[in-house]
Amino acid sequence: METICKNYEKCPIYSGVLVDKETTAKGYKNRYCEAGEAGWMQCKRYLVKEKVGKCPPDLLPNSFKSIDEIIASMN
């Protein structure tokens, strides 16, 4: 069973919005990226990408917006 998100290697938040925030980035990786399906199903980035095939590059995994709000703001 996979434990690391399929989008992990190319996730832009680690080279973008979190590039200088090592501690925060590590926390996100542990909680969402490396936590198996239970973590991925809590990650707004993962859920949006699964639903529409892409997501905003600066969207954080724990965004307060709903999936539908995030998708609506992309249009």
Side-chain angles (χ1 to χ4, degrees):
M1 176 176 276
E2 292 291 322
T3 57
I4 298 178
C5 177
K6 64 185 178 183
N7 303 311
Y8 176 76
E9 292 293 325
K10 295 181 180 177
C11 189
I13 64 169
Y14 299 114
S15 61
V17 70
L18 296 177
V19 72
D20 294 325
K21 297 176 174 72
E22 188 176 324
T23 302
T24 302
K26 184 175 181 175
Y28 282 135
K29 287 176 185 177
N30 288 335
R31 182 170 181 163
Y32 300 102
C33 309
E34 300 169 345
E37 189 173 353
W40 311 334
M41 297 310 291
Q42 294 180 40
C43 176
K44 298 290 177 80
R45 294 189 59 78
Y46 180 86
L47 296 171
V48 169
K49 188 167 183 176
E50 286 294 300
K51 192 164 185 179
V52 297
K54 61 182 180 177
C55 70
D58 59 346
L59 178 67
L60 292 174
N62 63 341
S63 173
F64 64 90
K65 292 182 181 179
S66 72
I67 301 302
D68 291 334
E69 289 173 322
I70 294 165
I71 293 170
S73 71
M74 292 170 58
N75 298 329

